[in-house]
Amino acid sequence: METCGYPSGYYLVDGIYPELAPLVKTIPEPADDDHKRILYKQKQESARKDVERAFGVLKKKWAILANPARALRKDRIVSMMYTCIILHNMIRKYKNYAISPRWFPEEAHQPDDPLRNEEQVQRVMRWIKSSQAHQNLRHDLIEHLAQNA
């Protein structure tokens, strides 16, 4: 399902990642008088650090989150994330009552979500590799933040 003209969500990343459409990087050195880009840089870096810390905590506890999830449907990924967050919060709240304080991986986890067909994979990969899509998304985010500041 497309939202705002983009076929998928995006990830806030730092400068070490390649320029791919869903990986939205900060702006390394915005001009001193470019207030829109300075605001974007501040917001992007702040949000990215918060997400990295939170996700790092969850990945340590739930190994399923440390593995690629491209083969899963969006609703399944969302459910998986919410489940891990809820379980994490329950364990923190009832730490002394936890049944098992350690995580034991499933031996043969097989996702039950259907894989995309080849045409869908190729379309998504073209979009992901599009430098123009990357620039458009970042520009749209900069404008959105400036309008809602």
Side-chain angles (χ1 to χ4, degrees):
M1 183 162 93
E2 289 192 27
T3 9
C4 303
Y6 296 100
S8 70
Y10 57 87
Y11 301 91
L12 303 175
V13 298
D14 57 22
I16 65 168
Y17 288 89
E19 195 169 284
L20 301 174
L23 306 180
V24 182
K25 298 195 274 187
T26 189
I27 298 171
E29 300 290 331
D32 291 339
D33 62 345
D34 193 343
H35 302 293
K36 286 181 181 180
R37 284 179 173 66
I38 291 170
L39 175 65
Y40 168 79
K41 178 181 174 76
Q42 292 169 341
K43 298 283 189 181
Q44 193 272 4
E45 290 176 356
S46 175
R48 182 181 53 80
K49 288 176 185 173
D50 291 345
V51 170
E52 280 182 2
R53 279 192 291 272
F55 199 66
V57 168
L58 292 172
K59 278 182 10 182
K60 283 181 184 177
K61 188 169 287 182
W62 311 107
I64 193 167
L65 299 180
N67 297 314
R70 281 192 266 189
L72 300 176
R73 292 187 325 256
K74 180 181 175 181
D75 62 321
R76 293 294 300 246
I77 295 171
V78 170
S79 294
M80 190 170 61
M81 284 301 304
Y82 279 129
T83 300
C84 290
I85 291 167
I86 291 166
L87 289 171
H88 170 77
N89 290 339
M90 289 173 66
I91 289 170
R92 285 191 51 100
K93 185 173 181 179
Y94 301 106
K95 189 173 184 173
N96 296 333
Y97 305 108
I99 295 170
S100 175
R102 297 180 184 201
W103 176 81
F104 296 97
E106 284 184 34
E107 295 286 326
H109 172 68
Q110 297 294 321
D112 58 356
D113 292 312
L115 297 175
R116 294 179 172 144
N117 67 37
E118 188 61 30
E119 180 184 326
Q120 292 170 319
V121 169
Q122 293 304 317
R123 187 175 67 244
V124 169
M125 291 308 292
R126 279 191 303 276
W127 180 79
I128 285 173
K129 293 178 181 179
S130 167
S131 178
Q132 187 62 49
H134 171 82
Q135 296 299 327
N136 290 347
L137 177 57
R138 187 163 71 175
H139 172 77
D140 289 350
L141 289 170
I142 290 168
E143 292 301 319
H144 176 77
L145 285 173
Q147 289 173 4
N148 295 297

